[in-house]
Amino acid sequence: MSFTYRVGADGWFDLLDRLFQKIATLRIGCRITAVKEKMGQLRISCNNADDQVLSWIEEARVESARTCQVCGGLGTFRILPGHLAATLCEADAERLSKPIRQRQVLEA
Ligand SMILES: [Zn+2]
């Protein structure tokens, strides 16, 4: 998986887990080839995907667009300082918008 280094995507793991469990119940042997974040949304590539799998992948993308990728709470698309695009809740957006030195002091 490749995610924006500064933000991560722990908040999306439940969402991904649910998608993978659904795909695992199928017999078509579809294989996930890429999971990444683009413009604050999950992008999943899968080979041998049928219409059912594609619709689940689309549902996951739509859900990721309103799920904070840090904590899994309700999130919206934001542009952080440094032109970093991410889907975040209010609290995580504020925390990640602070200069790194100040952030380390607050988290200590
Ligand atoms: Zn959050």
Side-chain angles (χ1 to χ4, degrees):
M1 295 193 209
S2 76
F3 293 107
T4 308
Y5 169 71
R6 272 177 57 200
V7 178
D10 288 1
W12 285 344
F13 282 1
D14 275 358
L15 199 161
L16 278 171
D17 205 40
R18 273 181 275 129
L19 173 67
F20 294 162
Q21 281 179 20
K22 282 194 279 189
I23 290 175
T25 63
L26 298 176
R27 290 168 183 271
I28 57 165
C30 115
R31 218 171 63 106
I32 304 285
T33 54
V35 177
K36 57 187 176 181
E37 175 267 341
K38 190 175 182 192
M39 294 303 281
Q41 297 184 2
L42 263 178
R43 299 297 165 97
I44 297 157
S45 306
C46 185
N47 62 17
N48 206 20
D50 62 6
D51 287 349
Q52 177 65 80
V53 172
L54 291 176
S55 82
W56 287 339
I57 287 173
E58 175 60 11
E59 280 172 29
R61 185 192 64 78
V62 170
E63 199 179 337
S64 72
R66 55 173 186 254
T67 304
C68 173
Q69 60 192 79
V70 173
C71 72
L74 193 65
T76 54
F77 180 73
R78 298 163 196 271
I79 304 284
L80 300 177
H83 308 289
L84 186 67
T87 296
L88 297 166
C89 68
E90 197 71 48
D92 283 316
E94 197 182 314
R95 186 177 56 83
L96 289 165
S97 296
K98 294 193 164 85
I100 286 174
R101 181 168 295 193
Q102 190 185 351
R103 217 189 302 160
Q104 284 169 340
V105 170
L106 289 173
E107 285 170 0

XYZ file of all heavy atoms in Angstrom:
846
model
N 0.844 -1.194 0.000
C 0.000 0.000 0.000
C 0.877 1.241 0.000
O 1.942 1.240 0.600
C -0.848 0.038 1.278
C -1.842 -1.097 1.370
S -3.033 -0.750 2.684
C -3.449 -2.415 3.157
N 0.430 2.261 -0.662
C 1.192 3.504 -0.630
C 0.278 4.656 -0.233
O -0.743 4.882 -0.853
C 1.833 3.786 -1.994
O 0.887 4.256 -2.904
N 0.637 5.290 0.857
C -0.167 6.396 1.348
C 0.730 7.592 1.620
O 1.921 7.429 1.836
C -0.896 6.011 2.637
C -1.943 4.962 2.419
C -1.749 3.671 2.850
C -3.115 5.269 1.754
C -2.712 2.696 2.649
C -4.080 4.304 1.531
C -3.878 3.016 1.978
N 0.112 8.750 1.620
C 0.854 9.960 1.896
C 1.575 9.808 3.233
O 0.952 9.537 4.252
C -0.102 11.163 1.968
O -0.887 11.135 0.784
C 0.658 12.460 2.061
N 2.865 9.965 3.213
C 3.688 9.699 4.389
C 3.234 10.463 5.622
O 3.125 9.919 6.703
C 5.153 10.024 4.056
C 6.049 10.031 5.253
C 6.372 8.840 5.899
C 6.565 11.213 5.749
C 7.190 8.837 7.009
C 7.379 11.215 6.854
C 7.695 10.034 7.484
O 8.491 10.039 8.577
N 2.937 11.736 5.453
C 2.629 12.568 6.627
C 1.257 12.270 7.220
O 0.999 12.567 8.362
C 2.696 14.046 6.249
C 4.090 14.635 6.389
C 4.095 16.082 5.933
N 3.135 16.887 6.651
C 2.660 18.043 6.220
N 3.040 18.500 5.055
N 1.802 18.738 6.924
N 0.347 11.735 6.427
C -1.020 11.565 6.908
C -1.319 10.106 7.263
O -1.902 9.815 8.297
C -2.028 12.062 5.844
C -3.453 11.828 6.320
C -1.801 13.540 5.569
N -0.903 9.173 6.445
C -1.208 7.768 6.691
C -2.649 7.449 6.351
O -3.370 8.287 5.793
N -3.079 6.254 6.691
C -4.442 5.854 6.347
C -5.023 4.849 7.341
O -5.868 4.032 6.990
C -4.468 5.282 4.939
N -4.601 4.933 8.598
C -5.124 4.013 9.607
C -6.648 4.070 9.698
O -7.289 3.060 9.962
C -4.542 4.344 10.992
C -3.066 3.947 11.092
O -2.525 3.456 10.092
O -2.491 4.134 12.174
N -7.200 5.256 9.485
C -8.648 5.433 9.599
C -9.434 4.710 8.524
O -10.651 4.576 8.629
N -8.768 4.251 7.492
C -9.455 3.544 6.397
C -9.328 2.035 6.523
O -9.865 1.302 5.699
C -8.875 3.972 5.059
C -9.301 5.334 4.621
C -10.345 6.084 5.117
C -8.725 6.109 3.573
N -10.426 7.280 4.452
C -9.443 7.323 3.496
C -7.660 5.897 2.692
C -9.136 8.309 2.569
C -7.365 6.881 1.775
C -8.084 8.082 1.713
N -8.612 1.541 7.520
C -8.358 0.101 7.576
C -9.637 -0.721 7.759
O -9.774 -1.787 7.175
C -7.312 -0.220 8.650
C -5.895 0.081 8.201
C -5.631 0.606 6.940
C -4.823 -0.174 9.031
C -4.330 0.894 6.518
C -3.518 0.104 8.618
C -3.273 0.633 7.369
N -10.589 -0.219 8.569
C -11.866 -0.935 8.741
C -12.602 -1.063 7.419
O -13.129 -2.124 7.081
C -12.776 -0.168 9.717
C -12.459 -0.532 11.159
O -11.578 -1.388 11.368
O -13.103 0.043 12.054
N -12.609 0.031 6.711
C -13.274 0.093 5.411
C -12.637 -0.913 4.413
O -13.330 -1.669 3.731
C -13.064 1.534 4.937
C -13.850 2.243 3.896
C -13.629 3.729 4.073
C -13.403 1.821 2.544
N -11.312 -0.944 4.422
C -10.582 -1.884 3.556
C -10.826 -3.326 3.991
O -11.029 -4.206 3.160
C -9.074 -1.599 3.637
C -8.572 -0.478 2.757
C -7.127 -0.158 3.105
C -8.678 -0.848 1.289
N -10.841 -3.524 5.295
C -11.052 -4.850 5.841
C -12.399 -5.407 5.379
O -12.506 -6.555 4.961
C -10.993 -4.752 7.370
C -10.601 -6.069 7.994
O -9.714 -6.728 7.428
O -11.205 -6.452 9.010
N -13.428 -4.567 5.451
C -14.767 -4.990 5.027
C -14.783 -5.338 3.538
O -15.376 -6.333 3.132
C -15.797 -3.893 5.335
C -16.351 -4.002 6.751
C -17.388 -2.935 7.032
N -16.758 -1.686 7.460
C -17.000 -0.492 6.944
N -17.867 -0.351 5.958
N -16.371 0.568 7.390
N -14.106 -4.522 2.747
C -14.048 -4.780 1.302
C -13.334 -6.110 1.025
O -13.816 -6.941 0.250
C -13.324 -3.629 0.596
C -13.051 -3.841 -0.898
C -14.358 -3.861 -1.694
C -12.124 -2.760 -1.442
N -12.193 -6.320 1.678
C -11.422 -7.541 1.432
C -12.207 -8.780 1.862
O -12.138 -9.819 1.213
C -10.076 -7.493 2.167
C -9.140 -6.429 1.638
C -8.059 -6.001 2.387
C -9.337 -5.857 0.387
C -7.192 -5.030 1.908
C -8.480 -4.880 -0.104
C -7.406 -4.464 0.656
N -12.947 -8.658 2.965
C -13.751 -9.804 3.420
C -14.836 -10.148 2.417
O -15.108 -11.321 2.157
C -14.379 -9.507 4.780
C -13.380 -9.692 5.928
C -13.978 -9.371 7.283
O -15.195 -9.366 7.461
N -13.123 -9.077 8.242
N -15.457 -9.119 1.830
C -16.499 -9.376 0.821
C -15.887 -10.056 -0.403
O -16.430 -11.029 -0.923
C -17.181 -8.049 0.411
C -18.184 -7.560 1.429
C -19.079 -6.466 0.881
C -18.399 -5.117 0.926
N -19.304 -4.002 0.592
N -14.742 -9.535 -0.826
C -14.090 -10.104 -2.021
C -13.670 -11.555 -1.751
O -13.778 -12.415 -2.634
C -12.883 -9.235 -2.453
C -13.398 -7.907 -3.025
C -12.028 -9.958 -3.491
C -12.317 -6.894 -3.372
N -13.260 -11.824 -0.513
C -12.797 -13.178 -0.171
C -13.916 -14.214 -0.249
O -13.650 -15.408 -0.381
C -12.172 -13.168 1.231
N -15.177 -13.763 -0.163
C -16.292 -14.719 -0.227
C -16.582 -15.157 -1.662
O -17.318 -16.108 -1.880
C -17.601 -14.107 0.342
O -17.983 -12.993 -0.483
C -17.418 -13.645 1.780
N -16.008 -14.456 -2.616
C -16.281 -14.785 -4.031
C -15.396 -15.930 -4.506
O -14.342 -16.193 -3.937
C -16.025 -13.549 -4.905
C -16.894 -12.331 -4.616
C -16.457 -11.182 -5.495
C -18.358 -12.642 -4.846
N -15.818 -16.544 -5.579
C -15.048 -17.665 -6.110
C -14.308 -17.293 -7.399
O -13.742 -18.153 -8.058
C -15.982 -18.842 -6.411
C -16.518 -19.488 -5.164
C -17.644 -20.446 -5.505
N -18.217 -21.031 -4.298
C -17.756 -22.154 -3.738
N -16.765 -22.799 -4.271
N -18.317 -22.624 -2.648
N -14.334 -16.015 -7.738
C -13.754 -15.652 -9.036
C -12.242 -15.466 -8.982
O -11.611 -15.242 -10.003
C -14.389 -14.369 -9.620
C -14.232 -13.197 -8.638
C -15.849 -14.598 -9.966
C -14.508 -11.846 -9.280
N -11.654 -15.557 -7.796
C -10.199 -15.435 -7.705
C -9.685 -14.086 -8.151
O -8.698 -13.986 -8.868
N -10.371 -13.029 -7.728
C -9.902 -11.699 -8.104
C -8.806 -11.275 -7.129
O -8.824 -11.608 -5.953
C -11.074 -10.727 -8.163
S -11.067 -9.413 -7.001
N -7.788 -10.626 -7.652
C -6.627 -10.289 -6.846
C -6.434 -8.780 -6.786
O -6.404 -8.121 -7.826
C -5.383 -10.930 -7.472
C -4.392 -11.458 -6.459
C -3.327 -12.254 -7.163
N -2.571 -11.398 -8.080
C -1.328 -10.978 -7.833
N -0.708 -11.362 -6.756
N -0.705 -10.211 -8.687
N -6.305 -8.257 -5.564
C -6.048 -6.825 -5.382
C -4.605 -6.554 -5.833
O -3.676 -7.204 -5.354
C -6.198 -6.423 -3.902
C -7.574 -6.810 -3.347
C -5.897 -4.947 -3.697
C -8.707 -5.937 -3.787
N -4.437 -5.633 -6.742
C -3.087 -5.355 -7.236
C -2.522 -4.044 -6.697
O -1.315 -3.845 -6.699
C -3.067 -5.322 -8.776
O -4.061 -4.394 -9.215
C -3.364 -6.693 -9.356
N -3.390 -3.143 -6.253
C -2.893 -1.880 -5.699
C -3.936 -1.254 -4.783
O -5.132 -1.278 -5.077
C -2.538 -0.907 -6.807
N -3.458 -0.724 -3.659
C -4.309 0.054 -2.760
C -3.549 1.335 -2.482
O -2.445 1.302 -1.946
C -4.574 -0.685 -1.433
C -5.399 0.182 -0.492
C -5.282 -2.006 -1.684
N -4.108 2.455 -2.896
C -3.408 3.713 -2.633
C -4.393 4.851 -2.413
O -5.596 4.691 -2.612
C -2.435 4.035 -3.757
C -3.058 4.108 -5.120
C -1.986 4.272 -6.179
C -2.595 4.241 -7.572
N -1.589 4.378 -8.614
N -3.838 5.963 -2.008
C -4.646 7.155 -1.768
C -4.357 8.158 -2.873
O -3.206 8.365 -3.242
C -4.285 7.734 -0.389
C -4.952 9.044 -0.049
C -4.120 10.256 -0.409
O -2.902 10.111 -0.592
O -4.679 11.333 -0.538
N -5.417 8.730 -3.422
C -5.231 9.787 -4.410
C -6.263 10.866 -4.144
O -7.462 10.579 -4.095
C -5.398 9.219 -5.828
C -4.986 10.193 -6.903
C -5.047 9.565 -8.270
C -4.579 10.572 -9.312
N -4.882 10.127 -10.662
N -5.810 12.088 -3.961
C -6.688 13.214 -3.667
C -7.673 12.907 -2.525
O -8.863 13.203 -2.606
C -7.453 13.645 -4.926
C -6.573 14.214 -6.019
S -5.574 15.633 -5.474
C -6.788 16.949 -5.533
N -7.158 12.294 -1.464
C -7.974 12.030 -0.288
C -8.995 10.920 -0.454
O -9.949 10.832 0.321
N -8.810 10.067 -1.464
C -9.732 8.943 -1.644
C -8.951 7.662 -1.874
O -7.863 7.684 -2.430
C -10.635 9.177 -2.869
C -11.519 10.388 -2.727
C -12.468 10.547 -3.911
O -12.479 9.720 -4.819
N -13.245 11.599 -3.895
N -9.558 6.572 -1.464
C -8.959 5.258 -1.684
C -9.078 4.865 -3.151
O -10.146 4.971 -3.735
C -9.718 4.203 -0.883
C -9.173 3.775 0.460
C -10.139 2.773 1.070
C -7.795 3.174 0.333
N -7.987 4.410 -3.718
C -8.022 3.896 -5.096
C -7.539 2.457 -5.037
O -6.429 2.184 -4.584
C -7.121 4.725 -6.013
C -7.529 6.189 -6.109
C -8.921 6.332 -6.717
N -9.455 7.667 -6.488
C -9.393 8.659 -7.377
N -8.837 8.463 -8.538
N -9.910 9.832 -7.082
N -8.384 1.566 -5.469
C -8.069 0.150 -5.397
C -8.100 -0.451 -6.795
O -9.065 -0.250 -7.538
C -9.079 -0.576 -4.490
C -8.959 -0.020 -3.064
C -8.849 -2.080 -4.500
C -10.181 -0.214 -2.230
N -7.046 -1.152 -7.130
C -7.003 -1.842 -8.413
C -7.059 -3.337 -8.158
O -6.500 -3.839 -7.188
C -5.717 -1.524 -9.165
O -5.564 -0.136 -9.279
N -7.741 -4.022 -9.055
C -7.988 -5.434 -8.851
C -8.017 -6.094 -10.224
O -8.648 -5.563 -11.133
C -9.355 -5.527 -8.178
S -9.829 -7.152 -7.691
N -7.312 -7.209 -10.374
C -7.443 -7.869 -11.673
C -8.541 -8.928 -11.611
O -8.893 -9.417 -10.548
C -6.109 -8.417 -12.187
C -5.523 -9.476 -11.293
O -6.210 -10.044 -10.460
N -4.246 -9.732 -11.462
N -9.136 -9.209 -12.736
C -10.208 -10.195 -12.820
C -11.465 -9.765 -12.049
O -12.221 -10.613 -11.568
C -9.710 -11.548 -12.296
C -10.471 -12.700 -12.911
O -11.074 -12.543 -13.950
N -10.449 -13.839 -12.261
N -11.678 -8.449 -11.899
C -12.842 -7.959 -11.144
C -14.101 -8.033 -12.005
O -14.083 -7.643 -13.175
C -12.598 -6.527 -10.696
N -15.170 -8.546 -11.423
C -16.454 -8.516 -12.138
C -17.231 -7.260 -11.704
O -16.732 -6.447 -10.914
C -17.248 -9.804 -11.900
C -17.598 -9.995 -10.425
O -17.321 -9.084 -9.611
O -18.149 -11.058 -10.095
N -18.457 -7.109 -12.206
C -19.244 -5.915 -11.892
C -19.495 -5.780 -10.389
O -19.499 -4.671 -9.853
C -20.586 -5.952 -12.631
C -20.406 -5.678 -14.120
O -19.296 -5.254 -14.515
O -21.353 -5.895 -14.883
N -19.696 -6.922 -9.719
C -19.937 -6.898 -8.273
C -18.727 -6.315 -7.535
O -18.858 -5.422 -6.710
C -20.228 -8.321 -7.778
C -20.412 -8.428 -6.278
C -21.642 -7.675 -5.788
O -22.749 -8.169 -5.900
N -21.444 -6.475 -5.269
N -17.550 -6.808 -7.861
C -16.325 -6.325 -7.207
C -16.113 -4.844 -7.518
O -15.779 -4.054 -6.629
C -15.102 -7.168 -7.630
C -13.814 -6.550 -7.106
C -15.238 -8.604 -7.137
N -16.319 -4.481 -8.770
C -16.134 -3.068 -9.148
C -17.086 -2.166 -8.375
O -16.719 -1.057 -7.975
C -16.329 -2.887 -10.659
C -15.237 -3.510 -11.539
C -15.594 -3.360 -13.010
C -13.869 -2.907 -11.258
N -18.310 -2.623 -8.132
C -19.252 -1.785 -7.384
C -18.846 -1.706 -5.909
O -18.999 -0.661 -5.280
C -20.700 -2.257 -7.557
O -20.986 -3.326 -6.703
N -18.301 -2.775 -5.344
C -17.799 -2.713 -3.960
C -16.611 -1.760 -3.858
O -16.474 -1.023 -2.892
C -17.368 -4.104 -3.483
C -18.513 -5.036 -3.190
C -19.806 -4.695 -2.921
C -18.458 -6.468 -3.153
N -20.546 -5.830 -2.711
C -19.754 -6.931 -2.837
C -17.438 -7.400 -3.346
C -20.053 -8.280 -2.717
C -17.737 -8.741 -3.211
C -19.032 -9.177 -2.905
N -15.738 -1.809 -4.849
C -14.572 -0.914 -4.865
C -15.030 0.543 -4.950
O -14.507 1.417 -4.260
C -13.616 -1.274 -6.025
C -12.880 -2.587 -5.700
C -12.622 -0.149 -6.302
C -12.028 -3.124 -6.838
N -16.044 0.786 -5.760
C -16.586 2.138 -5.895
C -17.223 2.591 -4.575
O -17.035 3.729 -4.151
C -17.592 2.180 -7.058
C -18.328 3.500 -7.239
C -17.423 4.698 -7.521
O -16.216 4.523 -7.794
O -17.936 5.838 -7.451
N -17.949 1.687 -3.912
C -18.535 2.018 -2.599
C -17.438 2.400 -1.602
O -17.593 3.343 -0.827
C -19.294 0.807 -2.025
C -20.690 0.603 -2.585
C -21.301 -0.730 -2.122
O -20.949 -1.215 -1.026
O -22.104 -1.273 -2.885
N -16.337 1.652 -1.616
C -15.227 1.931 -0.692
C -14.611 3.298 -1.003
O -14.262 4.055 -0.094
C -14.171 0.833 -0.781
N -14.493 3.628 -2.293
C -13.929 4.926 -2.672
C -14.829 6.061 -2.161
O -14.358 7.032 -1.568
C -13.782 5.033 -4.200
C -13.095 6.321 -4.652
C -13.210 6.553 -6.152
N -14.582 6.760 -6.594
C -15.262 7.906 -6.456
N -14.688 8.955 -5.899
N -16.507 7.997 -6.865
N -16.138 5.907 -2.368
C -17.095 6.935 -1.935
C -17.055 7.078 -0.406
O -17.041 8.192 0.120
C -18.522 6.586 -2.434
C -19.570 7.493 -1.787
C -18.583 6.692 -3.957
N -17.005 5.939 0.290
C -16.959 5.978 1.759
C -15.659 6.622 2.246
O -15.655 7.378 3.224
C -17.104 4.559 2.327
C -17.520 4.562 3.789
C -17.698 3.148 4.348
O -17.932 2.218 3.556
O -17.583 3.007 5.579
N -14.548 6.345 1.554
C -13.259 6.924 1.972
C -13.277 8.450 1.852
O -12.615 9.139 2.608
C -12.104 6.348 1.146
O -12.102 6.844 -0.186
N -14.072 8.964 0.913
C -14.125 10.409 0.687
C -14.821 11.148 1.819
O -14.770 12.370 1.888
C -14.830 10.706 -0.641
N -15.492 10.399 2.724
C -16.130 11.054 3.878
C -15.658 10.436 5.191
O -16.313 10.572 6.215
C -17.650 11.014 3.743
C -18.231 9.630 3.552
C -19.747 9.641 3.601
N -20.239 8.281 3.565
C -20.821 7.714 2.503
N -21.028 8.388 1.402
N -21.218 6.463 2.544
N -14.521 9.723 5.139
C -13.977 9.083 6.338
C -12.574 9.615 6.609
O -11.709 9.544 5.722
C -13.905 7.549 6.138
O -15.205 7.063 5.805
C -13.411 6.862 7.396
N -12.359 10.161 7.795
C -11.034 10.689 8.153
C -10.006 9.566 8.023
O -10.160 8.504 8.621
C -11.048 11.235 9.577
S -9.403 11.725 10.157
N -8.968 9.795 7.234
C -8.002 8.726 6.989
C -7.045 8.510 8.161
O -6.289 7.548 8.169
C -7.250 8.948 5.678
C -6.447 10.214 5.568
C -6.000 10.463 4.141
O -6.763 10.934 3.307
N -4.757 10.130 3.843
N -7.128 9.374 9.171
C -6.297 9.188 10.364
C -7.067 8.416 11.454
O -6.576 7.438 12.001
C -5.815 10.548 10.922
C -5.091 10.368 12.253
C -4.903 11.218 9.911
N -8.310 8.834 11.758
C -9.022 8.254 12.900
C -10.277 7.473 12.528
O -10.858 6.808 13.381
C -9.367 9.348 13.908
S -10.674 10.459 13.348
N -10.724 7.556 11.286
C -11.919 6.812 10.882
C -13.221 7.547 11.185
O -14.299 7.034 10.901
N -13.128 8.738 11.742
C -14.322 9.545 12.018
C -14.830 10.210 10.735
O -14.314 9.961 9.643
N -15.826 11.062 10.894
C -16.383 11.766 9.748
C -15.354 12.763 9.211
O -14.853 13.593 9.968
C -17.667 12.489 10.176
C -18.547 13.028 9.060
C -19.115 11.881 8.222
C -19.665 13.874 9.631
N -15.026 12.673 7.944
C -14.011 13.550 7.374
C -14.483 14.236 6.116
O -15.455 13.822 5.499
N -13.781 15.312 5.763
C -14.042 15.976 4.495
C -12.705 16.235 3.806
O -11.654 16.247 4.450
C -14.777 17.334 4.678
O -14.025 18.136 5.587
C -16.177 17.150 5.210
N -12.774 16.468 2.504
C -11.564 16.703 1.730
C -10.944 18.044 2.108
O -11.643 19.042 2.198
C -11.903 16.674 0.237
C -10.713 16.917 -0.635
C -9.742 15.939 -0.787
C -10.547 18.121 -1.294
C -8.627 16.156 -1.582
C -9.443 18.353 -2.090
C -8.484 17.366 -2.235
N -9.645 18.041 2.324
C -8.944 19.265 2.716
C -7.586 19.344 2.023
O -6.993 18.315 1.724
C -8.705 19.285 4.233
C -9.976 19.278 5.045
C -9.688 18.878 6.470
N -10.904 18.493 7.165
C -11.690 19.333 7.820
N -11.402 20.601 7.891
N -12.774 18.891 8.431
N -7.140 20.567 1.852
C -5.777 20.786 1.380
C -4.993 21.363 2.555
O -5.307 22.434 3.043
C -5.723 21.776 0.193
C -6.617 21.306 -0.959
C -4.281 21.982 -0.256
C -6.072 20.181 -1.795
N -3.984 20.614 2.992
C -3.162 21.068 4.120
C -2.013 21.923 3.603
O -1.706 21.900 2.407
C -2.605 19.860 4.867
C -3.626 18.895 5.466
C -2.919 17.729 6.103
C -4.508 19.608 6.472
N -1.344 22.646 4.510
C -0.162 23.403 4.089
C 0.818 22.466 3.376
O 0.943 21.304 3.752
C 0.415 23.883 5.428
C -0.749 23.914 6.360
C -1.649 22.795 5.928
N 1.480 22.961 2.357
C 2.374 22.128 1.562
C 1.616 21.434 0.443
O 2.097 20.474 -0.144
N 0.378 21.879 0.185
C -0.460 21.349 -0.898
C -0.736 19.869 -0.732
O -0.828 19.127 -1.699
C 0.174 21.617 -2.266
C 0.541 23.055 -2.461
N -0.391 24.045 -2.634
C 1.744 23.677 -2.457
C 0.217 25.218 -2.745
N 1.514 25.030 -2.635
N -0.846 19.425 0.513
C -1.110 18.024 0.791
C -2.622 17.795 0.829
O -3.323 18.397 1.632
C -0.482 17.672 2.144
C -0.509 16.225 2.560
C 0.387 15.404 1.633
C -0.025 16.092 3.988
N -3.109 16.950 -0.051
C -4.548 16.660 -0.111
C -4.862 15.459 0.775
O -4.151 14.463 0.742
C -4.962 16.373 -1.543
N -5.929 15.568 1.568
C -6.293 14.459 2.448
C -7.748 14.605 2.884
O -8.307 15.699 2.870
C -5.386 14.443 3.683
N -8.358 13.487 3.266
C -9.691 13.517 3.855
C -9.524 13.384 5.361
O -8.984 12.398 5.851
C -10.569 12.381 3.285
O -10.740 12.614 1.894
C -11.930 12.344 3.965
N -9.948 14.424 6.078
C -9.667 14.493 7.519
C -10.842 15.071 8.299
O -11.624 15.872 7.763
C -8.451 15.403 7.757
C -7.116 14.946 7.159
C -6.122 16.086 7.178
C -6.578 13.730 7.885
N -10.932 14.696 9.581
C -11.882 15.336 10.486
C -11.288 16.684 10.901
O -10.120 16.969 10.636
C -12.159 14.450 11.700
S -10.740 14.258 12.797
N -12.090 17.466 11.603
C -11.664 18.801 12.035
C -10.393 18.743 12.887
O -9.429 19.463 12.655
C -12.804 19.439 12.840
C -12.703 20.929 13.017
C -12.959 21.685 11.715
O -13.950 21.379 11.026
O -12.145 22.564 11.404
N -10.398 17.830 13.882
C -9.277 17.767 14.834
C -7.981 17.342 14.148
O -6.917 17.922 14.388
C -9.616 16.804 15.969
N -8.036 16.327 13.299
C -6.807 15.863 12.641
C -6.316 16.879 11.615
O -5.112 17.034 11.432
C -7.027 14.488 12.003
C -7.009 13.387 13.056
O -6.125 13.426 13.929
O -7.876 12.499 13.012
N -7.238 17.567 10.965
C -6.830 18.594 10.006
C -6.085 19.710 10.733
O -5.053 20.195 10.268
C -8.054 19.158 9.287
N -6.590 20.086 11.915
C -5.956 21.156 12.678
C -4.561 20.708 13.155
O -3.586 21.437 13.047
C -6.844 21.508 13.871
C -6.494 22.852 14.476
C -7.354 23.151 15.688
O -8.580 22.957 15.605
O -6.784 23.581 16.710
N -4.494 19.483 13.664
C -3.223 18.958 14.172
C -2.174 18.873 13.051
O -1.023 19.264 13.218
C -3.473 17.565 14.764
C -2.288 16.933 15.463
C -2.676 15.596 16.079
N -3.236 14.651 15.110
C -2.497 13.876 14.315
N -1.191 13.919 14.386
N -3.066 13.054 13.461
N -2.591 18.384 11.876
C -1.646 18.199 10.780
C -1.297 19.501 10.073
O -0.370 19.558 9.280
C -2.210 17.186 9.773
C -2.224 15.742 10.277
C -3.111 14.873 9.405
C -0.812 15.171 10.318
N -2.074 20.555 10.353
C -1.793 21.844 9.725
C -0.737 22.631 10.478
O -0.214 23.619 9.980
C -3.079 22.685 9.646
O -4.007 22.050 8.805
N -0.423 22.183 11.697
C 0.565 22.903 12.499
C 1.970 22.563 12.010
O 2.210 21.460 11.534
C 0.422 22.504 13.968
C -0.898 22.950 14.555
C -0.889 22.825 16.071
C -2.020 23.614 16.684
N -3.273 22.878 16.715
N 2.881 23.492 12.176
C 4.267 23.190 11.809
C 4.757 21.975 12.590
O 4.345 21.762 13.733
C 5.029 24.450 12.244
C 4.001 25.510 12.346
C 2.710 24.833 12.699
N 5.630 21.172 11.981
C 6.039 19.897 12.570
C 6.648 20.055 13.970
O 6.338 19.304 14.870
C 7.022 19.170 11.623
C 6.203 18.628 10.447
C 7.738 18.034 12.328
C 7.014 18.008 9.346
N 7.469 21.083 14.164
C 8.111 21.247 15.469
C 7.057 21.463 16.556
O 7.093 20.838 17.600
C 9.089 22.419 15.442
C 9.806 22.626 16.750
C 10.948 23.571 16.609
N 11.981 23.026 15.744
C 13.201 23.521 15.624
N 13.538 24.589 16.287
N 14.086 22.973 14.834
N 6.080 22.297 16.267
C 5.023 22.586 17.235
C 4.202 21.328 17.506
O 3.798 21.057 18.618
C 4.136 23.689 16.661
C 3.156 24.253 17.667
C 2.223 25.265 17.020
O 2.428 25.654 15.875
N 1.209 25.679 17.726
N 3.976 20.518 16.445
C 3.195 19.306 16.579
C 3.872 18.308 17.536
O 3.243 17.700 18.358
C 3.055 18.653 15.189
C 1.718 18.019 14.988
C 1.699 17.205 13.724
N 2.013 17.987 12.545
C 2.424 17.444 11.414
N 2.590 16.141 11.323
N 2.694 18.184 10.375
N 5.190 18.198 17.420
C 5.904 17.251 18.279
C 5.790 17.658 19.741
O 5.616 16.815 20.590
C 7.372 17.181 17.871
C 7.557 16.366 16.599
C 8.955 16.501 16.028
O 9.675 17.451 16.339
N 9.331 15.576 15.162
N 5.838 18.948 20.007
C 5.726 19.421 21.382
C 4.337 19.082 21.923
O 4.184 18.570 23.029
C 5.970 20.952 21.449
C 5.611 21.478 22.825
C 7.419 21.253 21.142
N 3.294 19.289 21.089
C 1.932 19.024 21.538
C 1.685 17.548 21.791
O 0.926 17.181 22.666
C 0.930 19.521 20.476
C 0.823 21.038 20.350
C -0.062 21.397 19.176
C 0.259 21.646 21.633
N 2.345 16.689 21.025
C 2.095 15.258 21.148
C 2.924 14.610 22.256
O 2.647 13.493 22.642
C 2.393 14.548 19.809
C 1.294 14.798 18.789
C 1.662 14.319 17.404
O 2.781 13.790 17.224
O 0.839 14.475 16.501
N 3.939 15.340 22.746
C 4.838 14.744 23.758
C 4.099 14.524 25.086
O 3.111 15.159 25.349
C 6.035 15.654 23.962
Zn -9.720 12.230 12.341
